Amino acid sequence: MPALHMEDLPEKEKLKMEVEQLRKEVKLQRQQVSKCSEEIKNYIEERSGEDPLVKGIPEDKNPFKEKGSCIIS
């Protein structure tokens, strides 16, 4: 099935799609950014001790550690 391009649709179809999208968006539950950002911050801080990007990976468990060295003679 070929992809639809907005510029190829008649104006009436574009408006129908926009109204359909707006109907979906109006049903979404919204929250204040100040509340959400505080929750995200707390979530990150609670799990930072388990995060390998913050804590690091022990050398013996690092799957990307080089297995050997290359010697050119």
Side-chain angles (χ1 to χ4, degrees):
M1 174 178 261
L4 293 175
H5 296 283
M6 289 297 289
E7 60 269 3
D8 296 338
L9 295 174
E11 191 64 27
K12 186 175 180 179
E13 287 300 314
K14 290 179 191 177
L15 292 172
K16 280 184 182 180
M17 290 175 69
E18 185 174 353
V19 168
E20 184 179 323
Q21 181 63 33
L22 290 171
R23 284 186 177 147
K24 289 178 185 177
E25 289 179 19
V26 79
K27 293 177 185 177
L28 292 175
Q29 181 182 2
R30 300 184 183 263
Q31 295 182 359
Q32 294 178 340
V33 172
S34 58
K35 183 178 183 229
C36 292
S37 61
E38 187 67 30
E39 290 175 3
I40 291 171
K41 180 181 150 218
N42 291 337
Y43 177 87
I44 292 169
E45 288 176 348
E46 288 170 4
R47 288 158 181 79
S48 66
E50 306 163 11
D51 190 339
L53 295 176
V54 175
K55 186 177 154 187
I57 300 173
E59 285 295 320
D60 60 333
K61 295 185 180 182
N62 186 352
F64 303 105
K65 180 180 175 184
E66 290 188 28
K67 308 262 186 281
S69 59
C70 178
I71 301 173
I72 300 175
S73 53

